[in-house]
Structure formats: structure tokens, C-alpha cells
Amino acid sequence: MPAFQKAQKYVALSAFALCTTFHAATLRAATTTATAVTTASTSADTAATADAPAQDAATPAAAAPAPAAAPTWSVGPIDFSGLVDGYYSFNANHPSPATNQLRNFDFDANSFSLNMIKLSMAHSPDPVGFQVDLGFGKAFSNFGLGVTSCIGTSTGVCDSGNDIHLEQAYVAWKPTKGKGFEADFGEFVTSAGAEVIETMNNPNYSRSLLFVQMLPYYHMGLRTSMPVTKADTFGVQIVNGWNNVSDNNSGKTFGLTNVYTKAKYAWYLNYYVGPENSNTSKGFRNLIDTTLTLTPTAKLSGYLNYDYLQNRNAAINPDGTYSTTNLIHQQGIAAEARYQATGTVAFSGRYEYLADESGAITQGQIGGSAIKAGLNEFTITGEYKMAAGLLARLEYRRDGADNAIFHKGANYATSNLVKGQSTVEFGVVAFFGPKR
């Protein structure tokens, strides 16, 4: 597999450069240990910072920064948290329509944009608890997260700036004598990936190709977790599938999660398998996701993330039945490093390579026949914590591909395609969290 071997060489060189240029802040894995132990269905978000907005323990951020202490708001047993996130993005290709390709969060190009607004309510299980997260803004609209409710329209038709999304809504049960066992039922964010939905809990402003192109965002169903040793926690999930509140077929997806945590590193492993083709249970999807987070010093942290995805497609026959067809498979690797230079200034760098071995992603960008391609991106981010609960990030990102898939100029004609896309963006996030 020459393309992936080439990627490994690039990753090795990039990891060396990143580790010597940036150094990364401490991971969230060092914080809420109890949450990490009881929510093994997480990929790497189990260690969310105590002063960041309340986020589901199953959210998978691996090498998130440690934001400045945010204003707190708790009313009785209920913790409230929230955020407002906006940005300006400059795209050197000047595409029209003005969109940054391969993105689901910082989607708008050459424009000011409201990324997201979020409000959360939560109560830690004692033994019963809950989590409810409401989201509004372009990011939630673009990746279709959760249940949508239109507001301010007479037709009931939602647009990108006029809908409210239910990101999470689940009940948690943690029996008093359960030895750390926890069960959650409802809608919750995925355990897969090295990043999360909330910007301030990621090292970079933009999300990685792996997170955007290869992974689910949320599930509806049941997840469990159980500590098996002091360092290891195992979990099982039974869910409708990927990004489905109501299932798109009669089958179910099963997830196995495991997190092994030590003082200066943590290893997260997730596996999802189940039928994901619409209207039929023929053809299975398999996802292997693993992340290794490293915290060698108080100022240095980073992660290595690998994902492998395959899906056996299905098509309808003339007699109305379904049969399996071609196999789509992708794999990718990402490396990130972060250096906390001072209490208010940090720098982060990320490199990744995604082998679109069946051409599904590139076909989605330019249409026509599927074209096998390798995708890569390099991102460098500077962060400044302006005040408690308020941070700004300035970021440069370069996306590239083996084939010309990026639109350039005033129309989407195939003659205006290029192999690269450069963006510079400035984002500001304001957030508050519960008292701890």
C-alpha cells in the first residue's frame, strides 16, 4: 500500500517537527478521574476539565487543552454550562459557494460565522443522574447532530441558522454498590475519535479529517462501563447506529470500548460493528478507533490516533429485495502536539493522513466516479486565554490531496479544481461551567 507507506513517512517527520516546535498542555485525562473510571465508553473525553462546560463523559477528546477557569453556575443539584463560539475564516482559493471543503465545523469561507451556541444541564448520578445538551448554530446544522426543532419559521423548514439541536439527552444510573458500574440510556455522543464537538476542549480550532470524515458523532441506545482494574475500564454499547435517533434499518450496532490510564499516558480502544445501510440490514460497517495520549511533562502533551473503517454497501434488486455490493474502506493516522508556553499562551500542531482507498470522500467532493486518493492536512494553532472562560485562537491549515478535488474561483466547474486548500482563521470561544 504505497500511499499509506508514504503517509507513515510524513507522519514520522511531522511528529518529530511538532514535538520539537510545540510541546502541548496537560491532558484532561489528569482531571476528573472518577468520571473517567465510570464512563469507559469514552474514547478520550473522560477527563474533561472541571472548569470547562459540562460535557458528556463519553465524548472522546484525547489531548484537549486546559482552558482558563470559567464562570460557574450551579443551581441546587443541577449543573449548568454553556458556550458561544464564532470565527472568521479566510480561504485562499476563494471558492464560490464560499465553503471550506472537508470541514463540518469551520464550514464558512471568507466570512464571519457563528460556529455554535450550546447550553447544558446535568446531574451526576447518585445513583440516578442525567445530561441534556442543546445546540444552535452552523456547526450543528452542517453535521445534523441529534433531534432538530425549527424556530422562528412559519413553514417549519429549518435552515442553517434557524434550528435547535438536541446533542445529548440521557439518563445515567450508577448503583451505590455497583463497584463503579454505570449504565446510560438515551442519546449520547460517540466514544470514537481523538477530538470532541466543543472547540475549547480540543487543541486546535478546526477538527481533524479523521473526526469529520470517518467517525460517527452520536448514538441512540444503551452504553455501559465497568472498571476491571484500577487502570482499566471496559464498556459495551448497543445503539441504533451512526447518527440515528430513529434507526434506519432493523439491525443494531454494537460497540466495545476500553480505556487504560496511567500517570503519563492513556490508551483508548473502540470497536463498532453493525448494519448501517438504509432500509436493509444487509452489509455491515466496521470501525476500529484507537488513540494513545501522552503527557510527558506539565507543559507537553499530544496524541496519536489511528482509524480504520469499512462498509459493505447494499443495493435494491428489481424484485424489491436488497443484496450486498461493493466494499468501501478508509484508514488514517493523526499526530498532535501541544506546548503550554505560559499560563495564557499555547501552541498546537497537527498532521494527519487519510487513505480514501475506495474514493468515497473524493467522490462526495467533486461527484462523478469514485477516485482513490490520499488526503492530508497540517495545522498550526496559537491560543491566548484572554480571561476566565474566554479564549481566542489563530490558526493556519493546509489541506492537500493526490487528485484535484478543491474548488477554486467563482464557480464549481471541474476545470477550476486544484490539489490544495489553505485557510487562516480567527476564532473566539466564551464558556462557563458548573461549580466543582
Side-chain angles (χ1 to χ4, degrees), residues 175-245:
T176 304
K177 297 182 180 180
K179 298 182 179 180
F181 172 81
E182 182 172 331
D184 303 328
F185 178 76
E187 180 191 352
F188 41 82
V189 294
T190 189
S191 299
E195 296 174 327
V196 295
I197 291 170
E198 292 74 12
T199 301
M200 70 283 177
N201 292 330
N202 295 305
N204 305 100
Y205 188 84
S206 66
R207 306 305 185 276
S208 66
L209 294 173
L210 273 59
F211 186 71
V212 170
Q213 299 294 331
M214 294 184 62
L215 306 179
Y217 293 118
Y218 67 92
H219 309 282
M220 178 71 181
L222 173 69
R223 69 179 178 192
T224 64
S225 63
M226 180 69 185
V228 292
T229 69
K230 291 183 179 180
D232 195 59
T233 303
F234 179 76
V236 176
Q237 301 180 15
I238 306 175
V239 297
N240 283 343
W242 290 36
N243 306 332
N244 293 318
V245 175

Side-chain angles (χ1 to χ4, degrees), residues 254-337:
F254 291 85
L256 301 176
T257 66
N258 195 81
V259 55
Y260 184 79
T261 305
K262 297 300 254 183
K264 293 190 177 183
Y265 72 91
W267 179 36
Y268 302 86
L269 180 62
N270 302 286
Y271 175 61
Y272 286 96
V273 59
E276 287 303 313
N277 295 314
S278 296
N279 304 317
T280 179
S281 294
K282 290 184 178 293
F284 270 52
R285 181 176 297 176
N286 291 268
L287 171 67
I288 299 173
D289 165 72
T290 184
T291 300
L292 176 66
T293 66
L294 303 168
T295 52
T297 70
K299 290 189 174 184
L300 175 65
S301 67
Y303 69 74
L304 293 173
N305 175 215
Y306 172 79
D307 289 308
Y308 177 81
L309 171 69
Q310 69 169 212
N311 188 84
R312 175 65 69 177
N313 290 337
I316 190 169
N317 300 317
D319 61 358
T321 61
Y322 282 82
S323 60
T324 56
T325 58
N326 62 309
L327 181 68
I328 291 177
H329 50 105
Q330 304 160 355
Q331 61 180 324
I333 187 168
E336 186 276 335

Side-chain angles (χ1 to χ4, degrees), residues 110-164:
N110 301 315
S111 173
F112 291 99
S113 184
L114 177 64
N115 193 9
M116 67 177 70
I117 298 174
K118 181 178 174 180
L119 177 64
S120 300
M121 297 168 286
H123 175 67
S124 300
D126 57 356
V128 178
F130 72 91
Q131 177 87 33
V132 176
D133 297 329
L134 300 176
F136 174 87
K138 196 66 174 287
F140 287 107
S141 300
N142 283 329
F143 55 74
L145 187 67
V147 179
T148 301
S149 174
C150 298
I151 59 173
T153 67
S154 58
T155 62
V157 177
C158 296
D159 60 36
S160 59
N162 198 34
D163 48 349
I164 295 177

Side-chain angles (χ1 to χ4, degrees), residues 54 71-81 119-124 126 130 432-436:
T72 59
W73 188 12
S74 297
V75 179
I78 301 178
D79 294 333
F80 291 84
S81 60
L119 177 64
S120 300
M121 297 168 286
H123 175 67
S124 300
D126 57 356
F130 72 91
F432 68 94
K435 296 177 182 178
R436 297 295 185 188

